[in-house]
Each structure stands twice: as C-alpha cells, then as structure tokens.
Amino acid sequence: MKKTVTKLADGRELIYYDADADADADADGTAGSAVAPRDAADRRPLGSVATASEIRRDPLLGDSVVIASHRQGRTYHPPADACPLCPSREDRLTEIPAADYDVAVFENRFPSLTGDAGRCEVVCFTADHDASFADLTEDRARLVLDAWTDRTAELSRHPGVEQIYCFENRGREIGVTLGHPHGQIYAYPFTTPHTERVLRSLADHRARTGGNLFDDTIADERKDGSRVVVEGEHWTAFVPYAAHWPYEVHLYPRRRVPDLPALGEQARAEFPRIYLDLLRRFDRVFGPDEPPTPYISGWHQAPLRGWEERSVEREEFALHLELFTIRRTSGKLKFLAGSESGMRVFINDVPPETAAARLREVADE
C-alpha cells in the first residue's frame, strides 16, 4: 500500500491510499497500472471552513448529543455530473484533485464533530461513481480495510479522541445524500452510549460467569448454528439471537482483538471474501427485481481510554462489524415508530432464524 498525505485548498487533510500495481487487479484479472504521483493541486477557490459543533449531555439518559447547525448547508443529492466525491477532470473540480484514485480519505467539509470535540472523515472506496462496495474486487476491499486500519491508528493518537467508528451508510432510505460509494469515520471525544451499554453487559457477564461475553456469544451461535450465515477459517457471521433489525448480521474475527490495528494478517487476508459475500447476499435477499438494499455497516472498536474506571479491561472487548438494513420485505421499510423511538424497545417482524436461513439461501452460485 502506498499512502500520500496532502492538503485541500481550505487546509483540510486529504490522504490517498493506492495498492501496489501487481496487487490491485481489475475484475477481469488483469493487473492494475503503476501508481501515478498524487501531486495534483486543489484548484478550487475555497474559503476557510467555518464549523462549530457542541456536545450536550442528556441528564436523564446520560447520552451525548451533538449539536451541529452548520450541517444544514451540506451538499444534498447533487446530479452525478456534480458529485464532489468523483475525481477532478478538466474543469470539473471536486474534493479529490486527482484525475483518478484507488481509495481516498479526507476531512469532512461539513463535520458533525469539530476541533477538540472530535473529527469526521469521508472514505471514498472507488473512483467509479456507479459502483458499490459489493462491486469491489477483493484486492480493493482489502485496501479499504487497510485504510480503515491506518486511520484508526492515526486518529487514536489524537489526545481528545475516545472512540473511532468506521461506517458506511448506503441508500437514500438510510439518509445518504451523496450517491458515490463512500463511508465515514467518526472520531468521538467520548465513548458512545451504545458501547457504554455493551461494556456494562460485558462486566456483568464476567462477574456472573467468569467468562467473556463476546467469546461465549460466538461459541453459542456456532454451536446452535441456526443463525450462522457465513463461516470462514478466521471469521464468523451470524444473525444475533435478539436482532433489532429485520436483516442484521454481526461479523467477528475468531481471535478476539480490541480494534482494527490489532487484527492479524490471516484475518485481514480472509476478510474481503467474507465481507463481499455478505454484502452481495444483502443485495439478493429481497429478490432480483428489488433495487439495491439500503444498509448501515460499521466497525465496533474498543474505546481508547478510561479503562481504569471500568470493571473490564480493554482486551476483553471484541472488534466486530454490524451490518443491517431497514428494509423488512420487498418494497417495505422498517420505521422506528413509537416503541422503538420513544422507549427504545425494538419490535422485529422477521425472526432471526428466518433471516439467517434466507441469507444462507441467497448464496452466489
């Protein structure tokens, strides 16, 4: 992997990640071309970025809420020929000055988290506007994994960052405003409410059983087998026993590690095949006439600091990816209405065992 760090016209950081020429093969198996120098300048007349976000604490729930009014002006569903995530070509100038790229990461121009309150980055998976993550080659998917890992390691060194979340929103139904295949990275200055609840459950399980909640959950799922969707030598993907969403899959490495930088090479090498398989199953689950399945996919990583105040150690946390869709059946979405939004009690219309069976059924033959 070749990494090139540069700056955009307004001072935001831009990082190119390029595969070796003999590694990034095209879909037809031919080798990619040599990596061009990433020295194209951002020729846009951009002013300085004016952003301000505020983190407020909910006194009843203890949740952190980000107030970011500047995001009202962010780019909203531009036509394909005005997409800011495509490469810059001729007089069409975008967020990425190069005429082509493999993977590119840059500071979000409209970030939810700013300054000492964290950082938000955009990850462009490919220069192809009409592709999706599921269309990537295994080599390109591995390059994205390497980029996620590198950004996690780099952002972990920021003194104010407490947790890093690499994720992808896909589909208008999810709320995506840019159609180009991309994800985001949030570097939070606090541990998220979701993770805090997981950590409490982790501590309670150890106190009650002496075991690790993640390890025991994976062992139970593998033993039962009814909710396992895909297994590799180094990864297990399953629909959780109490899935919140109609189609929801959790993907764990077999060897427990707290975050992406700690992931071993064998698991890294196998990940692209397993993950691309899952995404392609999601696109087939509702039938061939349905549009691409909207989903959210994100890496859950251990918080970075504050472990001396907790009843568990950082190494007890298990890195994992959670993938789910809000589509519950053909042409119908799962809305978070009264019980879910008002009381945080999810009602799932699809039994997890049924969802797992359907996902196994739609394997690519």
Side-chain angles (χ1 to χ4, degrees):
M1 181 184 75
K2 178 183 177 183
K3 176 182 176 182
T4 306
V5 181
T6 184
K7 294 285 187 181
L8 295 172
D10 54 12
R12 287 176 295 133
E13 192 171 40
L14 166 67
I15 308 105
Y16 294 102
Y17 293 90
D18 291 292
D20 294 333
D22 59 350
D24 189 18
D26 296 327
D28 61 3
T30 59
S33 59
V35 176
R38 300 304 185 190
D39 54 5
D42 184 0
R43 295 182 285 124
R44 296 173 298 170
L46 297 180
S48 59
V49 178
T51 59
S53 62
E54 178 185 358
I55 298 172
R56 298 184 181 181
R57 190 79 168 172
D58 183 322
L60 296 182
L61 299 177
D63 291 353
S64 295
V65 179
V66 179
I67 310 297
S69 59
H70 62 274
R71 285 175 51 80
Q72 287 280 32
R74 65 189 185 273
T75 308
Y76 187 79
H77 293 304
D81 61 2
C83 174
L85 307 184
C86 288
S88 293
R89 293 171 183 167
E90 299 177 349
D91 293 331
R92 179 184 174 186
L93 306 179
T94 73
E95 290 279 61
I96 303 172
D100 199 6
Y101 63 86
D102 287 351
V103 175
V105 179
F106 61 87
E107 289 183 73
N108 198 326
R109 186 167 174 79
F110 302 96
S112 300
L113 306 167
T114 60
D116 293 337
R119 175 161 160 147
C120 295
E121 298 181 342
V122 177
V123 183
C124 297
F125 306 137
T126 171
D128 185 352
H129 179 84
D130 297 317
S132 70
F133 202 116
D135 297 324
L136 301 183
T137 63
E138 290 187 14
D139 286 335
R140 180 59 59 84
R142 169 60 190 264
L143 183 60
V144 175
L145 175 63
D146 290 343
W148 284 330
T149 303
D150 182 76
R151 297 313 303 151
T152 295
E154 179 67 28
L155 293 169
S156 295
R157 291 191 280 271
H158 288 222
V161 170
E162 292 291 337
Q163 189 173 14
I164 297 164
Y165 184 48
C166 307
F167 65 98
E168 179 191 4
N169 298 325
R170 194 259 199 129
R172 286 196 176 211
E173 301 94 328
I174 294 293
V176 173
T177 57
L178 296 176
H180 195 103
H182 72 288
Q184 300 180 67
I185 301 176
Y186 275 25
Y188 298 100
F190 53 83
T191 300
T192 62
H194 176 97
T195 303
E196 289 287 10
R197 293 185 68 179
V198 171
L199 294 176
R200 288 196 293 271
S201 296
L202 186 63
D204 290 346
H205 184 84
R206 191 181 69 172
R208 187 174 66 256
T209 70
N212 180 277
L213 177 59
F214 293 108
D215 294 349
D216 292 348
T217 297
I218 297 167
D220 289 344
E221 292 293 352
R222 294 186 67 202
K223 180 179 179 180
D224 178 275
S226 64
R227 289 175 296 276
V228 173
V229 177
V230 177
E231 279 206 283
E233 186 178 352
H234 304 284
W235 295 88
T236 299
F238 59 90
V239 177
Y241 173 75
H244 289 58
W245 300 95
Y247 288 89
E248 175 182 346
V249 173
H250 293 190
L251 176 62
Y252 281 81
R254 293 278 186 88
R255 184 176 70 85
R256 172 164 40 93
V257 294
D259 55 20
L260 286 167
L263 196 61
E265 176 54 34
Q266 290 181 319
R268 292 182 186 282
E270 188 181 59
F271 170 78
R273 178 179 64 82
I274 298 291
Y275 186 52
L276 290 172
D277 182 18
L278 285 175
L279 293 183
R280 291 163 186 168
R281 288 171 190 258
F282 261 58
D283 274 345
R284 291 189 293 268
V285 74
F286 298 108
D289 298 327
E290 283 292 308
T293 301
Y295 64 74
I296 294 174
S297 178
W299 286 105
H300 292 256
Q301 306 190 77
L304 298 165
R305 282 166 273 278
W307 291 94
E308 63 279 359
E309 303 170 2
R310 298 187 169 106
S311 300
V312 292
E313 301 294 329
R314 188 171 191 270
E315 289 69 24
E316 295 183 62
F317 192 90
L319 167 76
H320 63 283
L321 181 142
E322 296 186 6
L323 168 67
F324 63 89
T325 179
I326 61 171
R327 187 177 290 164
R328 57 186 175 87
T329 191
S330 179
K332 297 179 181 178
L333 301 180
K334 165 65 179 177
F335 292 101
L336 300 189
S339 183
E340 291 91 350
S341 294
M343 294 301 286
R344 299 188 181 190
V345 178
F346 275 67
I347 301 170
N348 189 350
D349 301 323
V350 181
E353 294 76 17
T354 302
R358 176 59 180 160
L359 287 166
R360 289 194 299 268
E361 183 180 83
V362 295
D364 186 6
E365 300 177 354

